Amino acid sequence: MTQMQESSVHSDVPIQRRYDRGRRATLALARVESWRLLRHPAVLGTLAAYLAEWVYSVAVGGNWFPVLQDESRFTQMPLLLVAAGVFLAVYLSVLRPARDAVVDVYEAAVLESWQRIVAHVLSVVPLAVIAAVGSAVRVGLAAATPSAVGSIAVVEVLTGPAVILTAGALAALAATAVRSTAAGPLILTVLGVVTVASALSATSAWRWLTLVAFEHESIPPLPHALLYRPAELHVAYLLGLTVSAALVAMVLSGLRSLRMTVAVVVVLAITLGAAAAQLRPMPTQTAQAREEARTAPADTQRCAVVEKVTYCAFPEFFDRHQQWTEVTQGIMRWLPEDRVPGRLAVRQHLWAIDGKGGTVNSAPVQGWAADDAVAGTENAVMVGTRWGNRNNADSSATIGFAAALATRLLEPQDGREPVAQLCGGRAVVALWLAAQATAETGQALRDRMSAVVAGTSVSFRPVDGVHALSVDRRGVEAALTLLERPVSEVGPKITRSWDTLTAPGLTVEQAAPLLGIQVHSPAQAEGGATGC
């Protein structure tokens, strides 16, 4: 009896030692492969491109007024390039024995084939950590910007590193299943095509089944409560996809057992469950909150009064009223004393929330006016959630608000019309006041005109999807000419001649001598026509 027990103990020791030795060897190989991965040309090249894009966006990105929940999401797309480099590098690394014709040598090593697959999958972890640090730094810099609004979405920040892990596991699976060096770039191309298709279908539900779920460019920045992005489920889906790919690759490499089969089935079930959960329709609560924010936002907003002007905004965007105040004060400094309103209101609005709301005229502006009346902010000037001039949409919103505010100050008794129209001297004065208010509004007007290819009038939209103001193009061009002159020279002229310059019938030609500029006659203007 004693001899049998001793024999059993001695037989178990080598098994445990082999297990420990295999585990240590697997981790050692993972460390070696991770170092090789970090030095792989595909990874180094994509990391360099990632850093170059980052530096470029900071250097020439224009005035930055970040919305943190959006900046959290924006960290994902640049990492797709790094994920592509990881896929290619891991794919080639798994095939290294066959490419180098040393399969027999590898088979004689202490590690099984499936253990080498585990090592290759684990080798991607350091790169995922580097990606997480990079994403955290990007969002941290955005949050440190004095003009930042919103809140950081941690799960969105973690999605990019999760994509890199998934790319490594998919590469290991593809290399194990296909065993062809030439197939790697082809598989990567297919994944790239799917990603592009996802970006082009940015309002479809199926985009959540890809690596990164894009949003439609026409959707303005939204408060976090109005976003419908199942980011937590998406990260769970990516991690499930990563583990599933790794387990299947291990099975294909020779690790076949009942326990392994059960593990694959369970993980695949979890992954499919997370994938299906992403496709659920928008919750009723979110849909109701969106509708309330679109049609009657006053009840959910915060307001502040700065020098007799009331600014109201969604809570996460409340600090944006600091930029609106700068514009308001920059415009009002040139108003005659008797024209400075005793009371003025500015309210933030949303319209094109789902990316499908087109340009509107009468609706929803009249409904907003009724909401303002109930809230005690009659005839409030509308402003959206975009700001700055980092892109055309931001520039359009910035100058749109400034132009709408200047128009309201010119016509304080007119109330809110669905679409206001400015012509002649009034157009010149309003657009100059709007553009000279701050550095952002001046650049925004130039950006807006650079985007106007033709036409006799220029539209301004302070809120995405809402056409609020139409200005005679010749008046805008005259305002741009004035903008090239010192503000201290033009401002006093407008103040002194206010009543004349803002008279309804004054033409651009009549206003030009008063302002000390020359303008083309209507016959010399584009097409010989005006927008009025």
Side-chain angles (χ1 to χ4, degrees):
M1 190 72 173
T2 304
Q3 291 178 349
M4 292 179 61
Q5 290 177 345
E6 290 178 354
S7 176
S8 176
V9 170
H10 287 305
S11 63
D12 287 343
V13 170
I15 295 176
Q16 183 63 37
R17 287 178 178 175
R18 285 198 301 270
Y19 172 79
D20 292 338
R21 186 166 61 250
R23 182 178 60 182
R24 289 195 299 269
T26 300
L27 294 177
L29 180 59
R31 288 193 293 270
V32 172
E33 290 296 342
S34 65
W35 180 236
R36 285 178 171 175
L37 194 62
L38 289 171
R39 293 181 299 167
H40 195 281
V43 174
L44 289 176
T46 52
L47 282 175
Y50 172 79
L51 292 174
E53 180 274 333
W54 189 351
V55 172
Y56 177 83
S57 65
V58 173
V60 300
N63 296 323
W64 194 22
F65 298 86
V67 179
L68 296 181
Q69 52 263 39
D70 286 351
E71 294 299 325
S72 301
R73 174 169 53 87
F74 294 158
T75 61
Q76 300 170 17
M77 187 170 64
L79 287 176
L80 282 175
L81 189 60
V82 180
V86 168
F87 181 94
L88 189 59
V90 172
Y91 187 92
L92 294 176
S93 297
V94 173
L95 292 180
R96 189 185 302 119
R99 291 189 297 115
D100 296 343
V102 290
V103 175
D104 293 338
V105 176
Y106 273 76
E107 289 180 351
V110 67
L111 291 179
E112 302 287 343
S113 296
W114 66 268
Q115 290 174 314
R116 292 197 293 273
I117 292 297
V118 173
H120 284 293
V121 173
L122 292 178
S123 71
V124 183
V125 173
L127 260 174
V129 173
I130 292 174
V133 171
S135 297
V137 171
R138 293 185 78 151
V139 174
L141 292 175
T145 304
S147 56
V149 296
S151 56
I152 295 176
V154 177
V155 179
E156 296 279 15
V157 177
L158 294 176
T159 299
V163 167
I164 289 179
L165 289 175
T166 304
L170 290 176
L173 173 60
T176 305
V178 179
R179 312 296 295 177
S180 169
T181 303
L186 295 178
I187 296 172
L188 185 59
T189 300
V190 172
L191 292 175
V193 170
V194 172
T195 301
V196 172
S198 171
L200 296 176
S201 305
T203 58
S204 63
W206 70 265
R207 74 190 194 281
W208 286 99
L209 301 180
T210 62
L211 296 179
V212 171
F214 297 89
E215 291 293 343
H216 200 283
E217 291 182 359
S218 67
I219 297 177
L222 300 177
H224 193 271
L226 304 184
L227 289 170
Y228 179 55
R229 288 185 58 82
E232 294 83 0
L233 288 171
H234 189 62
V235 169
Y237 164 71
L238 290 176
L239 294 179
L241 197 60
T242 300
V243 177
S244 298
L247 291 178
V248 174
M250 292 164 64
V251 171
L252 294 178
S253 297
L255 184 60
R256 296 179 177 88
S257 66
L258 178 60
R259 181 181 300 178
M260 196 65 183
T261 303
V262 172
V264 170
V265 171
V266 170
V267 174
L268 281 176
I270 294 174
T271 304
L272 293 175
Q278 296 178 107
L279 306 181
R280 291 180 301 178
M282 182 183 300
T284 303
Q285 183 178 1
T286 304
Q288 291 176 346
R290 284 190 169 195
E291 186 61 21
E292 182 179 0
R294 282 163 54 102
T295 58
D299 290 340
T300 60
Q301 292 186 339
R302 292 176 56 191
C303 297
V305 179
V306 181
E307 296 186 2
K308 298 182 180 180
V309 181
T310 301
Y311 300 93
C312 299
F314 295 102
E316 288 179 80
F317 291 81
F318 181 70
D319 288 344
R320 190 65 77 223
H321 81 276
Q322 298 171 4
Q323 284 79 50
W324 305 338
T325 300
E326 292 178 4
V327 174
T328 303
Q329 294 175 347
I331 292 176
M332 293 178 64
R333 61 179 170 167
W334 300 117
L335 268 63
E337 291 185 5
D338 61 337
R339 292 303 181 97
V340 176
R343 187 180 180 190
L344 185 66
V346 173
R347 184 174 296 282
Q348 192 173 48
H349 287 286
L350 289 165
W351 182 249
I353 294 180
D354 56 5
K356 301 176 183 177
T359 300
V360 297
N361 292 329
S362 60
V365 177
Q366 292 178 346
W368 290 346
D371 185 52
D372 285 336
V374 173
T377 54
E378 293 85 356
N379 297 327
V381 180
M382 69 180 77
V383 63
T385 55
R386 297 187 189 272
W387 195 258
N389 49 38
R390 197 172 177 84
N391 52 56
N392 287 334
D394 291 346
S395 289
S396 180
T398 300
I399 191 59
F401 163 67
L405 176 60
T407 302
R408 182 59 50 80
L409 294 172
L410 259 66
E411 303 173 347
Q413 303 300 324
D414 288 352
R416 173 183 280 172
E417 296 296 331
V419 180
Q421 186 172 30
L422 280 181
C423 302
R426 293 154 72 98
V428 180
V429 171
L431 265 295
W432 181 83
L433 286 173
Q436 60 79 45
T438 65
E440 290 78 34
T441 57
Q443 185 58 48
L445 180 60
R446 296 183 181 94
D447 293 342
R448 180 74 187 97
M449 286 304 293
S450 67
V452 176
V453 179
T456 58
S457 63
V458 181
S459 63
F460 293 90
R461 302 172 182 176
V463 179
D464 285 48
V466 179
H467 181 183
L469 178 64
S470 181
V471 182
D472 175 19
R473 180 168 184 157
R474 297 181 62 244
V476 182
E477 292 171 347
L480 283 172
T481 301
L482 274 181
L483 199 60
E484 300 302 321
R485 301 197 171 191
V487 173
S488 58
E489 172 190 326
V490 179
K493 291 181 180 180
I494 289 180
T495 304
R496 287 194 302 267
S497 304
W498 182 270
D499 291 337
T500 303
L501 288 171
T502 59
L506 190 74
T507 65
V508 174
E509 291 75 24
Q510 293 169 331
L514 297 174
L515 298 170
I517 61 173
Q518 294 182 344
V519 297
H520 295 298
S521 64
Q524 294 174 304
E526 181 182 350
T530 68
C532 299

